[in-house]
Amino acid sequence: AIRVTGFDTNDVMGKNLVDDFITTEFKKPVRNVLKKALLGEETANFEFPLMNKGATRLINILLNATTRRDISNEIVGVVGIGQ
């Protein structure tokens, strides 16, 4: 990831994906995808631009947001995969 984005682990740990790395026009749509996954509605191949370190270019990301459930089938979180 560091080769593509310029960010290393110290740059991203503890940061908010949407607030810190998503362009303004995509903040709300990305939040909605993640919120829907927390409600059990999964999303595949949602495309959005991610800013690189220094905000000098945008990288197109495909996001898959999958609901994570426990042994009782209760929603416990979201697994987000970006490629």
Side-chain angles (χ1 to χ4, degrees):
I2 192 170
R3 288 188 321 222
V4 175
T5 66
F7 293 110
D8 65 25
T9 303
N10 294 323
D11 294 322
V12 298
M13 290 302 290
K15 300 288 174 81
N16 182 290
L17 170 69
V18 175
D19 292 339
D20 297 326
F21 303 102
I22 307 296
T23 59
T24 302
E25 65 272 15
F26 277 87
K27 287 183 188 298
K28 186 174 181 179
V30 172
R31 268 197 189 95
N32 286 339
V33 166
L34 298 173
K35 284 180 184 179
K36 286 179 181 179
L38 279 172
L39 297 172
E41 184 180 334
E42 300 177 355
T43 299
N45 300 321
F46 178 82
E47 188 172 353
F48 69 93
L50 182 76
M51 291 182 280
N52 74 328
K53 188 172 184 174
T56 58
R57 72 182 177 104
L58 298 174
I59 300 123
N60 286 328
I61 301 292
L62 287 178
L63 173 65
N64 294 305
T66 304
T67 304
R68 181 162 167 78
R69 297 177 183 271
D70 66 13
I71 196 165
S72 302
N73 207 34
E74 296 295 318
I75 296 172
V76 296
V78 173
V79 176
I81 306 293
Q83 55 184 7

